[in-house]
Amino acid sequence: MRICVIGCGAVGSLFAAHLAKSDECEVWAYDVWKEHTDAIRSRGLRLSGAADFTSQLKATSDAKELPHCDYGIVATKAIHTRNAIAQVAHVFDDKSAVCSVQNGVGNEEIIAEHVKFVIRGTTFPAGHPVTPGHVAYDIAGDTWIGPFEPTHTPMEKVEELAGYLSRSGMNTIALQDARGAQWTKLIFNASTNPVGALTLLHHGAATRFAPTGQLFQDVIAEGEAVAKKLGIELHGDPRQLVQKGANAPGKHRASMLQDILAKRQTEVDFMNGAIVKWGESVGVPTPLNKALYQLIKGLEHSWKDPD
């Protein structure tokens, strides 16, 4: 069995390192960060923090070097999904399945343009790169995966991939309908990420500070209203996820805050932008999500030094 992790940054490295450690399958990591893939090839992929070990696996920044793979795990930023899956589509055949574990909604639709079987996924483990070949494992957590409905992915494939991941140490639950888990994290992310990015507060500080803590709650309520109108039953309470993140050790910066500090394009289109879009389609107003979306887009635009 051969599995390719597409986008081996912070989250992708967590999956790749665990899968490689289990020795159940051959793991390939594909990432455009060449210093990282070079370091993995020469020294292995090290995780530290919630788990501390080094795994040996194959890694490349040249998609032509990738062999045929039975499964793919896409862990790129949502803004890079289209380019990434186009670059690696040739390694999958009509029996392969590719799973998204990315933030937001809308990634599966893009992957399905290139791959026959797609798996909808959402994951809660988090980390950040330390140096090439070394990723800090900040927050442990579960992963939920299920068939992406339009591709009619067999449940057997979902369960097989979940088995490999769980046995490797990345606890993964196979669900017939993974939309509830995905929307739970979407709503959590759409509240915490833009607020952290705009205030520069790490997650715990933003949760404990009354004005931003209340804003989390109000933005969550909008997302819940949209999910309810769509007929999606959430897989947990986003508010509990906010509290879990606040109680985690260290000062975890939301991924959007990390992007803003580095002046990189964010995933806000796949988070707040998606909630606004779905809200408009079902007639649910989302003024707070819209305002956060517009503010983040304005901040991104400021880096271009507009006249």
Side-chain angles (χ1 to χ4, degrees), residues 217-241:
Q217 306 302 312
D218 297 339
V219 177
I220 285 171
E222 285 187 0
E224 287 176 328
V226 175
K228 183 177 181 180
K229 194 67 178 286
L230 287 169
I232 297 172
E233 183 178 350
L234 296 183
H235 196 79
D237 186 347
R239 294 167 186 80
Q240 291 181 356
L241 298 180

Side-chain angles (χ1 to χ4, degrees), residues 13-31:
S13 290
L14 302 183
F15 282 94
H18 278 86
L19 283 168
K21 178 171 65 80
S22 73
D23 278 336
E24 263 200 284
C25 51
E26 181 181 317
V27 181
W28 281 78
Y30 173 69
D31 198 281

Side-chain angles (χ1 to χ4, degrees), residues 33-72:
W33 183 16
K34 193 172 186 301
E35 292 84 358
H36 188 49
T37 56
D38 286 347
I40 293 171
R41 280 205 307 273
S42 62
R43 302 190 299 273
L45 177 54
R46 183 190 169 197
L47 300 186
S48 61
D52 200 329
F53 62 88
T54 299
S55 290
Q56 304 300 320
L57 62 147
K58 301 179 185 299
T60 183
S61 295
D62 182 356
K64 294 177 183 177
E65 293 182 356
L66 294 171
H68 165 266
C69 290
D70 303 283
Y71 287 100

Side-chain angles (χ1 to χ4, degrees), residues 240-257:
Q240 291 181 356
L241 298 180
V242 170
Q243 200 55 52
K244 179 181 178 181
N247 293 337
K251 297 179 179 180
H252 179 68
R253 289 173 167 173
S255 60
M256 196 176 292
L257 171 55

Side-chain angles (χ1 to χ4, degrees), residues 25-287:
C25 51
E26 181 181 317
V27 181
W28 281 78
Y30 173 69
D31 198 281
V32 295
W33 183 16
K34 193 172 186 301
E35 292 84 358
H36 188 49
T37 56
D38 286 347
I40 293 171
R41 280 205 307 273
S42 62
R43 302 190 299 273
L45 177 54
R46 183 190 169 197
L47 300 186
S48 61
D52 200 329
F53 62 88
T54 299
S55 290
Q56 304 300 320
L57 62 147
K58 301 179 185 299
T60 183
S61 295
D62 182 356
K64 294 177 183 177
E65 293 182 356
L66 294 171
H68 165 266
C69 290
D70 303 283
Y71 287 100
I73 297 173
V74 182
T76 66
K77 294 273 189 185
I79 57 173
H80 302 311
T81 304
R82 190 170 299 280
N83 285 339
I85 194 63
Q87 290 164 9
V88 302
H90 65 279
V91 311
F92 304 110
D93 61 20
D94 60 2
K95 295 181 181 178
S96 305
V98 176
C99 177
S100 166
V101 293
Q102 299 159 279
N103 284 330
V105 295
N107 294 291
E108 291 84 1
E109 287 84 350
I110 297 171
I111 296 169
E113 295 174 9
H114 298 272
V115 180
K116 181 178 180 181
F117 293 126
V118 179
I119 296 174
R120 182 192 296 276
T122 190
T123 192
F124 284 92
H128 68 274
V130 180
T131 57
H134 179 194
V135 167
Y137 190 179
D138 297 332
I139 300 174
D142 294 335
T143 300
W144 290 268
I145 62 175
F148 178 54
E149 302 79 13
T151 61
H152 305 289
T153 304
M155 192 64 194
E156 293 78 17
K157 289 189 177 295
V158 177
E159 291 170 342
E160 183 173 45
L161 180 59
Y164 280 116
L165 290 169
S166 291
R167 290 190 296 273
S168 78
M170 298 289 283
N171 191 49
T172 302
I173 299 95
L175 301 170
Q176 288 283 354
D177 184 353
R179 293 179 304 158
Q182 188 178 52
W183 268 77
T184 301
K185 189 183 181 188
L186 168 66
I187 293 168
F188 159 75
N189 272 332
S191 64
T192 58
N193 267 272
V195 173
L198 291 166
T199 63
L200 307 184
L201 292 170
H202 67 79
H203 182 80
T207 305
R208 291 187 291 271
F209 184 52
T212 46
Q214 183 59 53
L215 183 54
F216 284 172
Q217 306 302 312
D218 297 339
V219 177
I220 285 171
E222 285 187 0
E224 287 176 328
V226 175
K228 183 177 181 180
K229 194 67 178 286
L230 287 169
I232 297 172
E233 183 178 350
L234 296 183
H235 196 79
D237 186 347
R239 294 167 186 80
Q240 291 181 356
L241 298 180
V242 170
Q243 200 55 52
K244 179 181 178 181
N247 293 337
K251 297 179 179 180
H252 179 68
R253 289 173 167 173
S255 60
M256 196 176 292
L257 171 55
Q258 295 178 43
D259 289 337
I260 291 295
L261 292 173
K263 293 189 175 182
R264 293 188 299 255
Q265 185 181 352
T266 73
E267 298 177 293
V268 72
D269 294 272
F270 292 81
M271 294 182 187
N272 304 83
I275 289 176
V276 171
K277 176 184 173 183
W278 281 108
E280 290 173 348
S281 72
V282 296
V284 175
T286 56

